[in-house]
Amino acid sequence: MSSILAQRRQKLLAMKALRSTPHVPVYTRETCPGCGQMVERRELSNHQYVCPLCGYHHPVGAYYRLSLVLDKGTFRELDAALASNDPLNFPGYKAKLDSARRRTGTGEGVVTALGRIGGRKVAVGALDSRFFMGSMSAALGEKVTRLIELAGKNRLPLILFSASGGARMQEGILSLMQMAKTSAALERFSRRGGLYLSVLTHPTTGGVTASFASLGDIMLAEPGALIGFAGPRVIEQTIGEKLPEGFQSAEYLLEHGFLDAIVPRGELRSTLIRLLALHGKEGDRHGQG
Amino acid sequence: MAKAELTPAQRLALARHPERPGTVEFIQNLFTDFFEQRGDRLCADDGSICGGIARFHGRSVTVLGHRKGRTLEEHVACRFGMPTPEGYRKAQRLMTQAEKFRRPVITFIDTPGAYPGLEAEARGQGEAIARCLALMSSLTVPVLCVVTGEGGSGGALALGVGNRVLMLENAVYSVLSPEGFASILWKDASRSAEACDVMKLTAADLLELGVIDGIIPEPEGGAHLAPQVLYRALDAALARELGELDKVRPAALAAARYQKFRKMGEQALRKERP
Ligand SMILES: [Zn+2]
């Protein structure tokens, strides 16, 4: 019976992941933003949306992201119905929310789930840059906080894939407060011995960078990802000059001491498995959690 | 009742008034025997955050806040109150000591935001703010925060995770400056007055949203017109709140602060699928 359930879960995730892949028109070829060469769409999807010519990592949606790292049939989504409610009655926000929901098939800018990676039970979340740029809403902060608290309660490792343009302007100060809420939850989780692997993907900026994304025990990033607090445009305006090539890239952050490693998409799952195993107790019964 | 009729944009102007008293004046007038602690013990001292040990009503406290500067030289040195990571790491150092020596923490918030500069990014502005938030949330001493002028973005919140968060009557607190907000949403920074109206950034708005716990009245026309009147009101409010928090056990202080911020944004959630 459980295998039928697992098959169903797998089908559901595969279906959602399909919607969650980068939007490319029906034409079979497209221009890569990394190298400017024409690349076949099938080639891209065969390579997890990494350009086979130059290695450019296309942003991908949350379900697809999770389908790349979770063991088959283990995805169990949490709080799927939890969504934002336009708390400030912000002009036009409700309509924009509705259209984002239709387009992405998710209720909010993050998908959270329980699942297994290499047999090890984990609490995992992925932000979706196609949903309001993965910006921090009260609902996004709440889903992330619930995931952290659940991981703490069940003594599970926590993995978050960040991708965010910053604050959700339409939720104003309530968006800002999610930085404190999520950081407080992580601090509590950490003090009780919880393991948190933070994976930064393109782009991770603003309030998400200045809260949960930066608080990992292990900090990983995808190649070429833009990572920073202030946006490049704001900085250019402040200092009145062009920013150097590669500023705020994952490679720049690694050089400046804010990352443990840059991991290409194709090696993320095996890297996570390795890190989880290194944090396991000796003789840990993998898959028994 | 003329005060009540101020528009959000008018309050913003008062919050930014060049003569508005700030952290340095509050420390001089409400505290005694202030010893300034400088430096982050890593590479620098950021003047845009001023802090140290002082006496408040006879007891030792750790007090810190944003400093915008008074003279042109000070403005430049403090980047008009916009901290770099070094400022936030100094704040962490001071708050860690407050925990060690069981001193209450009092913070004054007045910044347009964290400094958006090349070096600030290179040295981890995001990480520095995130660590401030995590640390403040876990302190087991009383933490009192007052938004005294502009509370701009994560750069303000980094000193704002308190058991009590108060606001001066004409202070503002927002996710972003109204100019930044208008330029992101409408691609037009000059529409900042309009932004003020939709952002819900006044003390009264934030009290209603549950983001702050109380409002400290200002003299008519703004704090700069009668600073001594404001100091008395601020002193009374801080003494009262601290007295209340003194009754709470250390672990319960951290737990209560956690629950306070855990609830932020509850009213924004919808549980059923649209
Ligand atoms: Zn390419």
Side-chain angles (χ1 to χ4, degrees):
Chain A
M1 190 197 77
S2 68
S3 80
I4 293 172
L5 213 62
Q7 274 177 27
R8 271 200 202 145
R9 278 189 202 136
Q10 185 54 26
K11 263 190 197 157
L12 184 71
L13 180 60
M15 226 168 60
K16 290 185 161 181
L18 200 65
R19 272 183 86 173
S20 192
T21 53
H23 175 75
V24 183
V26 280
Y27 305 108
T28 53
R29 286 151 70 90
E30 66 157 323
T31 310
C32 169
C35 60
Q37 304 268 12
M38 297 295 281
V39 184
E40 280 197 38
R41 178 165 163 79
R42 187 183 299 158
E43 272 289 282
L44 267 184
S45 74
N46 286 343
H47 288 89
Q48 305 182 340
Y49 293 89
V50 176
C51 175
L53 302 174
C54 73
Y56 175 80
H57 282 55
H58 289 257
V60 295
Y63 290 111
Y64 182 78
R65 167 71 65 191
L66 295 178
S67 77
L68 293 181
V69 294
L70 289 174
D71 296 352
K72 285 210 168 9
T74 65
F75 169 80
R76 276 175 57 202
E77 186 165 3
L78 302 164
D79 298 311
L82 207 153
S84 186
N85 198 25
D86 189 15
L88 307 186
N89 290 315
F90 197 90
Y93 184 36
K94 274 207 170 88
K96 280 186 92 173
L97 274 174
D98 285 343
S99 94
R101 281 173 190 142
R102 274 196 304 275
R103 200 172 59 250
T104 61
T106 82
E108 245 307 320
V110 64
V111 173
T112 56
L114 291 178
R116 289 179 190 275
I117 296 180
R120 180 85 171 262
K121 198 169 178 186
V122 295
V124 61
L127 274 65
D128 199 319
S129 62
R130 298 165 319 145
F131 193 101
F132 279 83
M133 289 295 294
S135 58
M136 184 96 97
S137 66
L140 190 151
E142 180 68 18
K143 284 177 85 168
V144 168
T145 304
R146 285 190 192 182
L147 184 74
I148 298 165
E149 288 178 342
L150 186 71
K153 200 171 138 213
N154 294 314
R155 303 202 156 273
L156 299 175
L158 171 72
I159 302 169
L160 286 172
F161 296 90
S162 290
S164 177
R168 183 81 52 90
M169 292 299 145
Q170 295 87 344
E171 296 191 17
I173 195 86
L174 298 176
S175 165
L176 187 70
M177 291 301 136
Q178 305 310 309
M179 293 168 60
K181 184 164 109 182
T182 53
S183 299
L186 278 174
E187 178 69 12
R188 192 177 251 208
F189 176 73
S190 180
R191 282 173 185 244
R192 292 173 184 176
L195 166 66
Y196 169 31
L197 310 177
S198 177
V199 187
L200 311 180
T201 73
H202 180 75
T204 298
T205 62
V208 166
T209 300
S211 61
F212 60 84
S214 291
L215 294 171
D217 295 298
I218 305 284
M219 298 288 302
L220 306 176
E222 285 194 335
L226 175 83
I227 303 159
F229 177 60
R233 216 161 38 92
V234 178
I235 300 169
E236 278 185 350
Q237 280 166 8
T238 310
I239 64 174
E241 51 188 279
K242 275 258 166 250
L243 294 167
E245 186 76 20
F247 177 67
Q248 293 184 317
S249 66
E251 293 72 16
Y252 182 89
L253 263 84
L254 182 72
E255 195 183 311
H256 283 82
F258 291 97
L259 294 175
D260 289 290
I262 294 173
V263 185
R265 194 168 290 164
E267 294 167 25
L268 264 178
R269 181 175 144 84
S270 61
T271 304
L272 294 176
I273 291 174
R274 208 174 127 216
L275 284 167
L276 289 170
L278 282 167
H279 285 84
K281 293 187 196 76
E282 209 184 340
D284 197 8
R285 295 161 302 152
H286 277 221
Q288 299 293 303
Chain B
M1 292 312 292
K3 283 198 294 184
E5 288 155 22
L6 290 180
T7 65
Q10 285 168 327
R11 291 196 198 277
L12 176 72
L14 285 178
R16 289 175 175 172
H17 195 283
E19 285 155 36
R20 188 175 178 81
T23 299
V24 172
E25 290 76 22
F26 299 141
I27 291 175
Q28 279 168 2
N29 288 279
L30 275 65
F31 299 77
T32 56
D33 204 17
F34 175 61
F35 178 82
E36 183 174 2
Q37 293 178 280
R38 299 182 60 180
D40 65 355
R41 299 298 183 272
L42 296 164
C43 64
D45 178 51
D46 179 358
S48 69
I49 286 182
C50 168
I53 317 163
R55 283 192 191 282
F56 182 73
H57 289 244
R59 70 198 296 190
S60 288
V61 300
T62 286
V63 56
L64 67 155
H66 299 98
R67 170 163 53 194
K68 288 184 168 177
R70 286 286 157 217
T71 63
L72 186 62
E73 294 79 50
E74 281 177 10
H75 284 322
V76 172
C78 301
R79 293 170 305 279
F80 292 88
M82 292 189 276
T84 59
E86 293 75 61
Y88 293 116
R89 292 185 181 121
K90 174 166 72 176
Q92 289 164 37
R93 187 171 78 78
L94 268 51
M95 290 190 283
T96 303
Q97 280 192 18
E99 174 87 0
K100 176 181 175 187
F101 297 111
R102 310 304 305 162
R103 289 192 290 262
V105 174
I106 298 173
T107 72
F108 297 115
I109 295 165
D110 184 16
T111 177
Y115 186 66
L118 192 148
E119 286 83 12
E121 291 292 316
R123 294 196 290 267
Q125 188 73 282
E127 194 265 358
I129 293 173
R131 294 276 166 217
C132 267
L133 299 174
L135 172 66
M136 277 191 103
S137 76
S138 66
L139 296 174
T140 62
V141 293
V143 182
L144 264 177
C145 306
V146 188
V147 184
T148 69
E150 285 178 277
S153 165
L157 179 64
L159 301 185
V161 188
N163 292 90
R164 298 278 192 281
V165 181
L166 307 175
M167 259 176 99
L168 300 194
E169 186 184 343
N170 293 314
V172 296
Y173 194 7
S174 56
V175 67
L176 190 66
S177 73
E179 291 81 5
F181 185 90
S183 87
I184 286 184
L185 268 186
W186 305 315
K187 314 280 174 241
D188 184 358
S190 70
R191 289 168 71 182
S192 78
E194 210 177 317
C196 285
D197 288 335
V198 295
M199 284 177 82
K200 304 240 194 301
L201 43 62
T202 67
D205 287 334
L206 296 171
L207 187 65
E208 199 183 314
L209 286 170
V211 171
I212 63 164
D213 304 294
I215 301 173
I216 299 166
E218 289 188 32
E220 181 123 23
H224 63 288
L225 292 182
Q228 295 301 332
V229 177
L230 176 75
Y231 299 151
R232 277 196 296 277
L234 182 55
D235 181 74
L238 290 176
R240 187 179 59 241
E241 297 293 355
L242 208 51
E244 287 298 312
L245 293 175
D246 277 338
K247 299 175 193 155
V248 186
R249 293 202 332 277
L253 280 169
R257 204 180 308 115
Y258 185 87
Q259 287 310 326
K260 173 183 167 65
F261 283 86
R262 181 69 187 81
K263 292 196 185 87
M264 294 277 180
E266 237 176 12
Q267 69 271 56
L269 305 177
R270 170 160 71 179
K271 272 149 199 148
E272 75 286 359
R273 268 246 195 248

